[in-house]
Amino acid sequence: MLAVFEKKINKLGLNEKISCRHEELSNMEFEKEAFHIISSTFTLHHIKDKYPMIEKLYKMLKSGGRLIIGEIDMDATGDVRDPKRFMRMMDYLKIEFSLALQEGGIDAFSRMYDNGKKHILNDGEYCISFKQWETLCQKASFKKIYIRAVPDFEWYKVLIAVK
Ligand SMILES: C[S@@+](CC[C@H](N)C(=O)[O-])C[C@H]1O[C@@H](n2cnc3c(N)ncnc32)[C@H](O)[C@@H]1O
């Protein structure tokens, strides 16, 4: 992903303004109050223990800074053997499987199907609902929190938390 990003930066001639750094989410080493904005799409759900990460992101923001999270609005918490949890998650996954099949054929479907299994088994994919993201941000002392829908994508949302 960083290689794709760096290619775009080069193409736009923004090398002097934007730099890339690879960090492990659970062990980020940025300074306190380093950023006005921290934004993330479809990445934070990979971390199982989210509160320490949100706390760290809060510390990395300047006062008045914003954390912007784009994610899947799906509660994958609970016992992986619970059929009710499975059915709840399948509401989202069946749409993803069908879209992959329709737009990317068998190859895309296979990738999405394997990924769906990871979501169901909480194997590297640990989605939570936006209500749960909101609660974590409140606990970390963010002052204002806004949640926005993404048009045409019922299961995706954006959260903006202001420090
Ligand atoms: C689904 S991709 C999303 C990429 C991009 N943000 C986007 O919206 O297209 C998830 C990204 O999270 C990164 N990732 C997963 N676990 C991570 C971790 N523990 N620390 C840092 N990055 C991680 C993966 O390498 C991958 O690039």
Side-chain angles (χ1 to χ4, degrees), residues 7-35:
K7 211 167 154 188
K8 287 187 180 173
I9 294 168
N10 281 333
K11 200 172 163 192
L12 294 167
L14 294 171
N15 311 55
E16 285 180 18
K17 292 191 174 170
I18 303 174
S19 62
C20 290
R21 200 162 115 184
H22 187 199
E23 291 267 346
E24 165 55 46
L25 266 174
S26 51
N27 193 23
M28 287 175 285
E29 292 195 354
F30 292 103
E31 282 168 26
K32 280 184 186 172
E33 305 197 356
F35 301 112

Side-chain angles (χ1 to χ4, degrees), residues 72-74 84-103 108-110 112-117 119-120 154-156:
I72 307 161
D73 187 11
M74 176 172 66
K84 278 193 192 140
R85 170 185 172 275
F86 172 77
M87 293 304 276
R88 185 176 76 222
M89 295 177 71
M90 281 310 289
D91 283 346
Y92 160 71
L93 289 171
K94 71 183 181 196
I95 296 170
E96 286 296 287
F97 294 160
S98 149
L99 267 177
L101 195 58
Q102 188 186 322
E103 292 180 5
F109 171 76
S110 293
M112 192 52 77
Y113 191 78
D114 291 343
N115 191 247
K117 193 173 162 191
H119 279 285
I120 292 164
E154 178 194 345
W155 288 86
Y156 299 118

Side-chain angles (χ1 to χ4, degrees), residues 113-160:
Y113 191 78
D114 291 343
N115 191 247
K117 193 173 162 191
K118 290 183 179 179
H119 279 285
I120 292 164
L121 299 180
N122 273 163
D123 175 17
E125 306 274 3
Y126 313 97
C127 285
I128 58 173
S129 70
F130 269 64
K131 201 77 210 138
Q132 290 163 319
W133 282 116
E134 184 180 35
T135 303
L136 289 175
C137 290
Q138 281 165 345
K139 193 175 162 196
S141 303
F142 278 96
K143 275 193 203 132
K144 289 183 195 163
I145 298 162
Y146 307 92
I147 294 172
R148 297 283 180 264
V150 176
D152 300 329
F153 292 95
E154 178 194 345
W155 288 86
Y156 299 118
K157 290 201 175 69
V158 176
L159 177 146
I160 303 119

